[in-house]
Amino acid sequence: MCGGPVPFSGDYATAPATNSSLRTYFNQAVYGTQILDYAIDSIDSNPVQWWLPEPTDEKERKNLQYLTTVVLHRKGDFVLPVTVEIIFEDGTHQREHWDGVDRWIRFDYTRNTRVRSAEIDPDHTVLLDKNLFNNSYTVEPHKLATRKLTNLWVSFAQLLSQLVTWIV
């Protein structure tokens, strides 16, 4: 095949799963130069009645409704359906499927709990993604990575000071 890449026809995301042709996938992945990169742009959980003060009673706090918004973004030109898993603070999981045709999509939920995290492709089946670091987002950062880097830095500083002391 000569003459450059075949343009994307746009029917991959709407094609049925059975008896479908993989032509549009191969046009993007093999013959084309499209880049596959999906990202989670933002996660937000706010009380539905944001103008009211937050309740101090535990029973009222459990009945408080939150509007959760998760925004996904297709950064590259490669169109591929993906799955996103949203995890809430009460432990419930919500899986959504996105065809990826639009540049971005927003999922809105109204629940009695806030969002904890979201992850694109939780089963790790899409290996062509350019940047895997932007496929997940947590509201609360994990302190394990900070502790690990701090311990490595302290160990390095101690080793360096012992080496300097041994030389002098």
Side-chain angles (χ1 to χ4, degrees):
M1 177 171 190
C2 59
V6 178
F8 173 60
S9 64
D11 59 351
Y12 177 72
T14 58
T18 58
N19 297 330
S20 65
S21 172
L22 293 176
R23 169 69 59 199
T24 53
Y25 173 76
F26 282 113
N27 286 346
Q28 295 178 91
V30 178
Y31 306 121
T33 59
Q34 288 85 353
I35 294 174
L36 176 67
D37 190 16
Y38 287 97
I40 296 179
D41 270 353
S42 66
I43 293 179
D44 201 21
S45 282
N46 293 317
V48 173
Q49 296 177 336
W50 54 269
W51 60 89
L52 296 176
E54 243 187 83
T56 56
D57 186 25
E58 189 65 33
K59 184 178 179 185
E60 291 178 9
R61 188 174 288 166
K62 286 184 180 180
N63 293 332
L64 186 64
Q65 292 281 320
Y66 293 97
L67 176 64
T68 299
T69 304
V70 178
V71 179
L72 306 180
H73 182 208
R74 178 174 54 89
K75 291 186 164 192
D77 296 329
F78 199 111
V79 176
L80 187 71
V82 292
T83 303
V84 61
E85 183 175 36
I86 297 115
I87 302 173
F88 294 92
E89 285 183 347
D90 64 353
T92 58
H93 298 255
Q94 179 74 36
R95 282 202 176 208
E96 298 285 346
H97 298 284
W98 178 33
D99 59 6
V101 174
D102 296 326
R103 274 289 177 187
W104 64 274
I105 190 168
R106 186 176 81 187
F107 296 106
D108 292 322
Y109 305 98
T110 303
R111 296 191 177 202
N112 291 342
T113 183
R114 295 179 188 242
V115 68
R116 179 186 300 160
S117 66
E119 182 178 7
I120 296 174
D121 188 31
D123 300 325
H124 306 290
T125 56
V126 179
L127 301 176
L128 295 175
D129 200 322
K130 178 183 174 187
N131 186 0
L132 295 174
F133 291 115
N134 62 6
N135 286 0
S136 63
Y137 190 93
T138 58
V139 176
E140 295 285 326
H142 294 292
K143 300 197 188 304
L144 183 65
T146 307
R147 265 189 256 136
K148 183 177 180 179
L149 288 174
T150 303
N151 287 337
L152 285 173
W153 177 253
V154 167
S155 298
F156 175 73
Q158 285 179 351
L159 179 69
L160 186 63
S161 65
Q162 287 178 359
L163 182 66
V164 168
T165 305
W166 183 73
I167 293 174
V168 173

